[in-house]
């Protein structure tokens, strides 16, 4: 394993939420003591239900939100307090909705050039050359560079977003649900493109998605988030072959593969929904857990880290 | 099996776009028929036109639109209003946009019954509570007094389903009912729909782009592309032996855990969905199809592959040997 391209240490983010006009503000911990390291050239998939903190995690890593505590390091350099331009050269985002993330009034070429212009010290000829190179990389023609976002399809717009992320030649790309807004045939094109770019440019991805089949296809390691914490983090094949946390098992069980005759599985989670404003005591998953023990409601499970990976569950600690 | 809904040669034009071009759909009693396709293929428009809910400025033509043995194609708006929400009900993708934020769950649910049946309020409230419990909502009494924004996405979709069932419909049209939900909740909602269908003998027309959902819940599948049903078959036969190049392509695009190795490319269909104007002739898929030839711009034959398996393509069934998927 090579040195980590990105390392996250004890990342935490709290929000204060008002629930009524006169009610005292409530503290919501969206990301709670998250740590991981991703080796250069690999892909960490982050999965979880809505509200689990995966998008907040992406925003913290990108520097769009200030963490309450913790650090993000790229190539050993702390991102916190770093100049915005320097940070942009290291880490870039690709967001879910290519309709919302591109300025509709600018031409594609100008959109892709923006990160270069913002650097402030790159000449016009150089900008032109690098924009053409980035468009070419993602399979867009020069002619398409002169058009406006509204003239492109969803898949083409996502290619533009990827070109914009690549134009500064970053080390890390944070992909937040990059294919969720796309049709399946287009999703496959974008996934193939991302895989090809990672190989050719040696990129490292943080790949956030609710679609486990997509994550299985692209990620080398998977982190499962539940109410702000990573409850299991394991190398991709091992996770899909033998999930250890009951929540991971439930998530995998709910993936509907196109195999007729299997019916819809019973996930066994009940109908209590996770609420980040009311995190349960003990193990935060215990109210929904089909395998919960009495101690799960009072004792916070310890993190077990072994040869297979990391998991936070009383059952796993016990079996060992 | 008795046909609950029979649609023949449905054509819908919206402005200068031919959104649906000669679609046929049959939903039998107690059967789930899935319409699958990518955005813009006309699947939602087909469903909306059955309900008589097309957007302003669109034109519908059909040779047959029969519901429970009765031709409803020529029904007036008033007659359709009587059917909608009563004998045929619809649920949509985003429950937040189809629930009224200004009224409680209870008042929205009981309105359906009071309007169609003139049921007294107290009785309608009982029925609403009973159905909320049936769709797996604990404490239905509490939920009836709440507003939509106080519910989670999964709960809202359950409320929508319960509301659709208020008048004991015969046909339920569900347009992407689980697309906005988490996978765990999606599985719960689909299980619920399957259970309700068994108990109530519902005919369900389910619109989705998710082949996983189709495989697990449909009895019959129709694949739509550019306004046409290009292939229609019983679910098992469609997945075991897909015939249309589009269906085959679509099935290779879906990542299935354990099927395609990581970093090996997924199958994909090059190009984008064309915009079809009235007067367009031939196969809508030919520009993206690797098997396209001269005959594809002419009239495309409708072929029968096997019992109940129909194909709209110039290729002979069984082309290229055993199907890719």
């Amino acid at each position: 394993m090579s040195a980590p391209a990105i390392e996250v240490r004890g990342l935490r983010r709290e929000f204060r939420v008002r629930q009524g006009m006169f009610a005292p503000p409530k503290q919501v911990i969206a990301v709670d003591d998250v740590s991981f390291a991703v080796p250069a050239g690999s892909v960490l998939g982050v999965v979880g239900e809505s509200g689990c903190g995966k998008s907040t995690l992406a925003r913290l890593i990108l520097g769009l939100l200030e963490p309450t505590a913790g650090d993000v390091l790229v190539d050993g350099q702390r991102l916190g307090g770093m100049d915005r331009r320097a940070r942009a050269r290291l880490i870039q985002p690709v967001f879910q909705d290519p309709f919302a993330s591109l300025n509709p009034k600018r031409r594609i070429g100008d959109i892709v050039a923006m990160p270069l212009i913002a650097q402030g010290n790159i000449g016009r000829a150089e900008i032109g050359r690098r924009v053409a190179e980035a468009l070419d990389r993602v399979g867009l023609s020069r002619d398409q560079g002169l058009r406006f976002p509204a003239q492109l399809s969803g898949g083409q717009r996502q290619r533009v977003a990827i070109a914009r992320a690549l134009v500064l030649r970053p080390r890390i790309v944070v992909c937040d649900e990059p294919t969720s807004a796309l049709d399946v045939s287009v999703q496959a094109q974008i996934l193939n493109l991302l895989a090809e770019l990672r190989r050719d440019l040696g990129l490292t991805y943080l790949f956030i998605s609710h679609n486990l089949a997509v994550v299985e296809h692209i990620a080398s390691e998977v982190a499962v988030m539940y109410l702000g914490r990573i409850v299991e983090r394991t190398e991709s094949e091992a996770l899909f072959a033998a999930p250890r946390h009951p929540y991971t098992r439930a998530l995998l069980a709910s993936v509907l593969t196109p195999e007729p005759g299997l019916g819809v599985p019973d996930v066994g989670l009940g109908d209590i929904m996770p609420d980040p404003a009311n995190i349960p005591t003990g193990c935060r998953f215990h109210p929904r857990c089909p395998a919960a023990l009495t101690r799960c409601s009072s004792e916070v499970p310890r993190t077990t880290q072994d040869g297979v990976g990391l998991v936070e569950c009383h059952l796993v600690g016990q079996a060992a | 099996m008795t046909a609950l809904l029979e649609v023949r040669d449905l054509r819908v034009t919206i402005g200068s776009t031919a959104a649906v071009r000669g679609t046929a759909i049959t939903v039998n009693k107690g059967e789930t028929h899935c319409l699958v396709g990518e955005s813009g293929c006309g699947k939602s428009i087909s469903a909306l036109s059955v309900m008589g809910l097309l957007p302003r400025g669109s034109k519908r033509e059909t040779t047959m639109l029969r519901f429970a043995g009765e031709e409803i194609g020529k029904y007036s708006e008033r007659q359709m209003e009587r059917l909608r929400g009563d004998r045929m009900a619809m649920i949509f993708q985003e429950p937040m946009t189809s629930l009224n934020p200004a009224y409680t769950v209870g008042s929205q649910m009981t309105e359906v019954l009071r309007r169609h049946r003139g049921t007294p309020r107290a009785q309608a409230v009982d029925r609403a509570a009973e159905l909320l419990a049936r769709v797996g909502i604990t404490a239905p009494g509490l939920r009836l007094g709440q507003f939509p924004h106080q519910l989670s996405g999964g709960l809202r979709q359950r409320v929508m389903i319960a509301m659709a069932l208020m008048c004991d419909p015969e046909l339920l049209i569900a347009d992407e009912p689980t697309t906005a939900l988490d996978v765990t909740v999606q599985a719960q909602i689909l299980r619920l729909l399957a259970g309700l269908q068994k108990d109530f003998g519902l005919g369900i027309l389910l619109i989705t782009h998710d082949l996983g959902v189709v495989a697990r819940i449909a009895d019959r599948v129709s694949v739509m592309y550019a306004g046409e049903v290009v292939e229609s078959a019983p679910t098992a036969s469609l997945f075991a032996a897909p015939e249309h190049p589009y269906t085959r392509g679509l099935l290779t695009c879906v990542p299935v855990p354990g099927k395609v190795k990581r970093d090996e490319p997924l199958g994909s269909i090059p190009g984008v969905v064309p915009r079809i104007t009235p007067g367009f002739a031939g196969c809508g898929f030919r520009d993206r199809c690797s098997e396209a030839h001269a005959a594809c711009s002419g009239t495309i034959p409708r072929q029968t592959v096997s019992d109940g398996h129909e194909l709209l393509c110039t290729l002979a069934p069984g082309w290229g040997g055993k199907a890719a998927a």
Side-chain angles (χ1 to χ4, degrees):
Chain A
M1 282 281 194
S2 39
I6 181 165
E7 198 180 345
V8 167
R9 286 188 197 153
L11 209 57
R12 179 184 174 92
R13 171 70 199 203
E14 295 161 9
F15 291 103
R16 291 173 84 75
V17 183
R18 277 196 179 273
Q19 296 203 315
M21 210 182 292
F22 301 109
K26 223 177 154 146
Q27 194 185 51
V28 174
I29 304 165
V31 171
D32 186 2
D33 191 19
V34 165
S35 304
F36 57 80
V38 189
S42 57
V43 181
L44 177 70
V46 180
V47 298
E49 292 166 293
S50 37
C52 73
K54 54 191 196 298
S55 286
T56 305
L57 178 67
R59 295 169 65 85
L60 289 171
I61 290 171
L62 286 164
L64 298 173
L65 275 176
E66 281 299 315
T68 311
D71 274 325
V72 180
L73 292 92
V74 173
D75 283 336
Q77 306 168 62
R78 280 191 56 226
L79 285 188
M82 190 185 274
D83 175 58
R84 269 172 65 184
R85 278 168 293 204
R87 195 163 58 198
R89 287 195 296 269
L90 289 174
I91 188 161
Q92 283 284 330
V94 174
F95 292 112
Q96 171 175 0
D97 189 352
F99 295 84
S101 62
L102 303 180
N103 186 340
K105 299 210 167 144
R106 290 200 176 266
R107 290 179 197 278
I108 299 306
D110 297 338
I111 291 172
V112 175
M114 203 50 94
L116 294 168
I117 297 167
Q119 288 292 319
N121 55 0
I122 304 172
R124 267 174 77 180
E126 172 74 3
I127 289 177
R129 202 178 56 73
R130 282 175 65 175
V131 168
E133 182 194 294
L135 288 176
D136 187 49
R137 271 254 170 244
V138 300
L140 290 172
S141 66
R142 234 160 248 220
D143 172 51
Q144 281 165 325
L146 299 174
R147 298 200 203 157
F148 290 96
Q151 294 169 293
L152 302 184
S153 70
Q156 287 168 335
R157 282 183 227 205
Q158 202 56 301
R159 286 173 194 269
V160 174
I162 294 170
R164 177 176 60 184
L166 293 182
V167 78
L168 280 174
R169 299 176 188 144
R171 298 267 292 138
I172 320 284
V173 179
V174 177
C175 308
D176 191 358
E177 303 269 8
T179 61
S180 302
L182 306 174
D183 278 317
V184 271
S185 72
V186 182
Q187 164 177 295
Q189 293 172 9
I190 297 295
L191 287 176
N192 289 344
L193 173 68
L194 285 171
E196 182 193 311
L197 292 170
R198 185 192 63 76
R199 264 195 317 273
D200 295 355
L201 306 175
L203 293 169
T204 306
Y205 293 150
L206 198 71
F207 193 97
I208 294 165
S209 178
H210 70 280
N211 188 332
L212 279 100
V214 166
V215 168
E216 194 261 356
H217 183 70
I218 198 159
S220 33
E221 194 182 19
V222 180
V224 180
M225 280 189 85
Y226 190 78
L227 285 177
R229 282 190 75 83
I230 292 180
V231 294
E232 181 163 6
R233 197 182 80 229
T234 306
E235 188 268 326
S236 184
E237 261 127 67
L239 184 102
F240 280 86
R244 295 199 288 172
H245 197 286
Y247 180 61
T248 315
R249 260 181 253 147
L251 271 186
L252 293 189
S254 52
V255 177
L256 301 178
T257 50
E259 298 167 283
L262 293 183
V264 185
D266 182 5
V267 182
L269 286 183
D271 20 82
I272 306 157
M273 283 295 126
D275 176 6
N278 289 300
I279 291 181
T281 55
C283 169
R284 52 195 67 207
F285 181 58
H286 86 264
R288 297 174 81 197
C289 183
L293 310 167
T294 24
R295 64 194 276 218
C296 296
S297 56
S298 51
E299 276 174 61
V300 177
R302 265 208 316 249
T303 310
T304 313
Q305 187 143 25
D306 53 23
V308 189
L310 170 153
V311 64
E312 242 181 36
C313 177
H314 283 305
L315 292 167
V316 173
Q318 211 173 43
Chain B
M1 262 204 262
T2 30
L4 183 60
L5 177 75
E6 284 174 278
V7 186
R8 295 278 166 277
D9 203 27
L10 174 71
R11 288 165 196 282
V12 181
T13 326
I14 306 173
S16 62
T17 307
V20 180
R21 307 182 293 139
T23 297
I25 308 162
T26 304
V27 182
N28 291 319
K29 264 202 175 103
E31 181 190 78
T32 302
H33 189 143
C34 276
L35 266 184
V36 63
E38 298 180 279
S39 33
C41 71
K43 54 191 194 302
S44 290
I45 294 292
S46 299
L48 288 172
S49 67
V50 169
M51 296 287 280
L53 289 174
L54 285 173
R56 224 173 262 269
S58 40
K59 221 175 74 198
R60 179 183 81 185
E61 284 170 56
T62 168
T63 54
M64 184 201 277
L65 179 52
R66 204 179 271 171
F67 172 66
E70 207 172 313
E71 176 64 40
I72 61 166
K74 294 278 180 291
Y75 266 26
S76 67
E77 179 53 28
R78 180 161 283 211
Q79 282 173 303
M80 281 309 292
E81 262 174 26
R82 240 174 272 148
L83 269 184
R84 279 197 300 255
D86 188 358
R87 296 180 60 198
M88 46 164 80
M90 189 155 182
I91 48 180
F92 297 92
Q93 174 176 348
E94 190 20 87
M96 198 58 214
T97 53
S98 34
L99 288 170
N100 191 329
Y103 290 90
T104 61
V105 167
S107 70
Q108 296 184 56
M109 286 187 72
T110 51
E111 188 198 350
V112 193
L113 205 54
R114 296 173 72 192
R115 187 190 162 107
H116 283 293
R117 301 280 162 83
T119 313
R121 201 186 130 72
Q123 233 173 302
V125 170
D126 287 346
R127 168 90 178 144
E130 179 197 319
L131 279 171
L132 285 183
R134 178 65 191 80
V135 298
I137 291 181
T138 45
L142 167 81
R143 300 302 180 193
L144 284 175
Q146 287 186 317
F147 290 91
H149 74 266
Q150 294 172 296
L151 309 177
S152 69
L155 275 183
R156 276 182 220 140
Q157 200 54 289
R158 282 168 203 254
V159 167
M160 281 296 295
I161 294 171
M163 195 187 296
L165 296 176
M166 281 298 274
C167 291
D168 261 325
E170 292 150 67
L171 175 70
L172 181 68
I173 299 182
D175 189 354
E176 306 265 11
T178 59
T179 307
L181 305 174
D182 278 316
V183 279
T184 48
V185 185
Q186 160 168 289
Q188 289 175 337
I189 297 285
L190 291 177
R191 268 182 82 80
L192 171 66
L193 278 179
L196 292 170
Q197 169 168 59
K198 237 172 106 218
D199 298 356
F200 294 80
L202 276 172
I204 299 181
L205 179 63
L206 187 110
I207 295 151
T208 182
H209 69 280
D210 186 335
L211 288 161
V213 171
V214 173
R216 301 306 187 91
I217 198 170
D219 297 302
R220 197 178 172 76
V221 191
S222 290
V223 181
M224 282 194 80
Y225 189 82
E228 290 177 307
V229 171
V230 294
E231 186 164 7
S232 179
T235 310
S237 124
L238 186 100
F239 282 89
E243 286 290 349
H244 199 280
Y246 177 63
T247 316
R248 290 192 189 180
L250 210 51
L251 284 170
T252 62
C253 287
V254 189
V256 179
K259 197 169 132 198
V260 180
K261 274 228 184 82
R262 183 162 5 105
D263 271 6
E264 270 175 31
L266 291 166
S268 64
I269 306 174
V272 291
V273 182
R275 191 165 156 272
I276 309 278
T277 49
F280 181 92
C283 174
F285 187 59
R286 64 176 187 266
D287 288 343
R288 300 175 75 186
C289 182
S290 55
E291 307 294 322
H293 51 114
C296 296
S297 42
T299 308
I300 311 296
R302 193 167 286 281
Q303 312 178 60
T304 304
V305 180
S306 58
D307 190 29
H309 190 158
E310 283 184 25
L311 171 69
L312 188 71
C313 187
T314 56
L315 297 165
W319 64 276
K322 186 91 182 78

